[in-house]
Amino acid sequence: MDAAGSQLEKECAQYAGLSENSMVITQGGKLLCRKIMHLINGNNVKSQVSLVLEECERRKYKSVAFPAIGTGQAGQSPAKVADAMLDAIVEFVSKTSVQHLKKIKIIIFQSNMLRDFYESMKKREGTSLWVSTFKSFLEGKTQPNEKKKPVALEKKVDLATFQICGESKKNVDATESWLKNLILKEQFENIISDELIENFDEGQIDTLADLQRRNHVTIQLENKHSPHHIKISGVSRDVCFVSVEVQKMIQKIKDTEEERSKAELVYNLVEWRYPGSNGSFVAFDKLTNMQLEDAKIAKKPHLAVKINKNNYSVDLNTLQATDGQGKTINIQRVPKNEGKL
């Protein structure tokens, strides 16, 4: 309140005496925000966060920043507060009606609380909501990526020709019908639909072509409608085998995206650094940054990393990294406490 200035104190004075669970909205004063939402005497953190988010959407605000509500004078458990706040955010962003609010920040000034919020995030990882919608709100919605040029899968079918000779047309027709029924009996078609198929690159298309060639099936990549789908046709056992391989490809893309999303979120909380030139420090790449943070939270004593293409073993207690020749360097772990909207 002191940082916001005396004018804000005067504005707040006129709202004195409001009932519990109320909220008042004032100007931002000298703070780097346009409005301040004041929550009054409420102990239900989830309800309060939901109330603020709904009000932001109603007022068409584009961003909002929360402190760790209730962890100050109210004395609530940081772990329970983290769960309550993130539960409220997840419920809010899952609504298809959200149109205006694009960015949600949780500002954590006490570094010891980072672990509670990070652990709460980890409990939610692995769901499509966490990876896509929730991530976009915590990091800010980005513009859609440039539409990828469709990648075509060449259709290769090995034809088999049957020549049927018989004493009469009736016998030939009967034989032709028997052959068709026999072929159709062994034929099977499976369609796999997934929005991640849109992310298939040339490497994955080459893999599909190889599966098509080696297993004597027909694979059709349909990308005219969303979600994209892959149609696999052929003998039942071959179709089943190829379908499993395609599902593995999709799962690999999904795992990679989840890991990238998690690394991005961790990077917003804490940054690990190693010595650069001229006494400066350089941030680890986001994946290594996440691995270091995970190892520290899991209380692992050491973690192997690469620094400037050299192998190092990081002592997570002393924050020292040692290479294969015994050379030791100091690394840093820097929590991020953003305070600006």
Side-chain angles (χ1 to χ4, degrees):
M1 186 67 77
D2 292 338
S6 59
Q7 187 61 38
L8 181 62
E9 291 185 18
K10 293 178 181 178
E11 188 178 355
C12 290
Q14 62 182 304
Y15 295 108
L18 289 180
S19 60
E20 287 191 2
N21 298 323
S22 296
M23 175 179 66
V24 296
I25 300 175
T26 66
Q27 299 299 317
K30 295 181 179 180
L31 299 180
L32 297 177
C33 60
R34 293 183 179 180
K35 300 286 184 180
I36 300 177
M37 294 181 169
H38 305 265
L39 300 170
I40 303 173
N41 297 329
N43 291 320
N44 189 328
V45 173
K46 182 179 177 181
S47 176
Q48 288 183 315
V49 172
S50 298
L51 177 66
V52 170
L53 294 175
E54 294 291 348
E55 186 65 18
C56 286
E57 177 66 14
R58 189 182 73 80
R59 290 173 175 262
K60 299 182 180 180
Y61 293 162
K62 293 184 178 180
S63 65
V64 62
F66 291 93
I69 296 174
T71 58
Q73 293 182 353
Q76 295 196 44
S77 162
K80 292 183 178 179
V81 167
D83 286 340
M85 294 186 71
L86 295 179
D87 283 344
I89 295 173
V90 168
E91 289 184 9
F92 174 76
V93 302
S94 65
K95 298 178 181 178
T96 56
S97 59
V98 178
Q99 297 178 355
H100 305 289
L101 190 59
K102 298 178 183 291
K103 196 168 191 177
I104 301 170
K105 288 184 179 181
I106 299 176
I107 310 301
I108 305 170
F109 293 101
Q110 298 84 359
S111 59
N112 60 307
M113 289 187 190
L114 279 174
R115 178 173 297 181
D116 296 306
F117 278 82
Y118 179 54
E119 288 294 335
S120 186
M121 288 181 179
K122 286 187 68 176
K123 289 190 292 187
R124 292 164 173 79
E125 70 182 13
T127 66
S128 58
L129 175 62
W130 172 257
V131 172
S132 55
T133 311
F134 190 35
K135 172 180 176 289
S136 71
F137 273 82
L138 286 178
E139 297 175 4
K141 290 186 176 178
T142 57
Q143 296 298 321
N145 292 330
E146 183 179 349
K147 193 173 183 69
K148 292 184 177 180
K149 182 179 179 180
V151 183
L153 176 65
E154 185 179 355
K155 185 177 180 180
K156 293 184 178 180
V157 179
D158 296 325
L159 298 178
T161 302
F162 292 88
Q163 293 182 340
I164 306 171
C165 302
E167 296 180 351
S168 66
K169 184 177 184 302
K170 180 179 179 181
N171 290 342
V172 170
D173 290 344
T175 303
E176 181 183 1
S177 177
W178 176 80
L179 277 172
K180 286 182 178 179
N181 289 333
L182 183 64
I183 293 170
L184 290 174
K185 184 178 180 180
E186 289 295 322
Q187 291 295 299
F188 182 66
E189 180 179 279
N190 187 32
I191 296 177
I192 300 174
S193 297
D194 198 295
E195 59 185 13
L196 291 178
I197 293 174
E198 184 179 358
N199 297 334
F200 274 28
D201 57 21
E202 291 185 4
Q204 274 114 15
I205 297 301
D206 288 343
T207 300
L208 289 178
D210 186 58
L211 285 170
Q212 177 177 249
R213 182 178 60 257
R214 288 188 294 106
N215 295 280
H216 307 290
V217 297
T218 300
I219 300 178
Q220 294 174 276
L221 181 59
E222 302 290 343
N223 52 20
K224 293 182 180 179
H225 304 287
S226 183
H228 293 189
H229 65 268
I230 293 173
K231 183 190 294 185
I232 308 166
S233 307
V235 178
S236 300
R237 62 177 181 274
D238 297 328
V239 170
C240 290
F241 173 80
V242 173
S243 296
V244 171
E245 294 302 306
V246 171
Q247 291 288 8
K248 289 179 181 178
M249 293 169 63
I250 294 173
Q251 186 61 46
K252 187 175 180 180
I253 295 175
K254 188 176 298 183
D255 291 343
T256 300
E257 288 198 355
E258 287 186 4
E259 188 172 48
R260 187 183 299 116
S261 298
K262 178 184 172 185
E264 187 70 37
L265 290 168
V266 173
Y267 183 74
N268 288 337
L269 292 174
V270 63
E271 182 177 284
W272 288 77
R273 303 170 180 171
Y274 61 88
S277 58
N278 300 323
S280 62
F281 276 79
V282 180
F284 281 95
D285 65 87
K286 293 178 181 179
L287 181 59
T288 303
N289 187 79
M290 177 188 69
Q291 293 169 346
L292 284 163
E293 187 64 16
D294 282 349
K296 182 172 178 59
I297 289 176
K299 297 182 178 179
K300 293 182 179 179
H302 298 91
L303 181 72
V305 301
K306 279 189 177 293
I307 300 176
N308 295 326
K309 298 182 180 181
N310 295 318
N311 294 321
Y312 281 81
S313 176
V314 175
D315 187 319
L316 294 163
N317 293 317
T318 64
L319 298 188
Q320 291 184 323
T322 306
D323 66 8
Q325 285 71 45
K327 176 185 175 182
T328 299
I329 59 175
N330 294 319
I331 65 172
Q332 295 179 341
R333 178 184 180 274
V334 182
K336 293 186 177 181
N337 296 319
E338 292 184 36
K340 298 181 181 180
L341 275 173

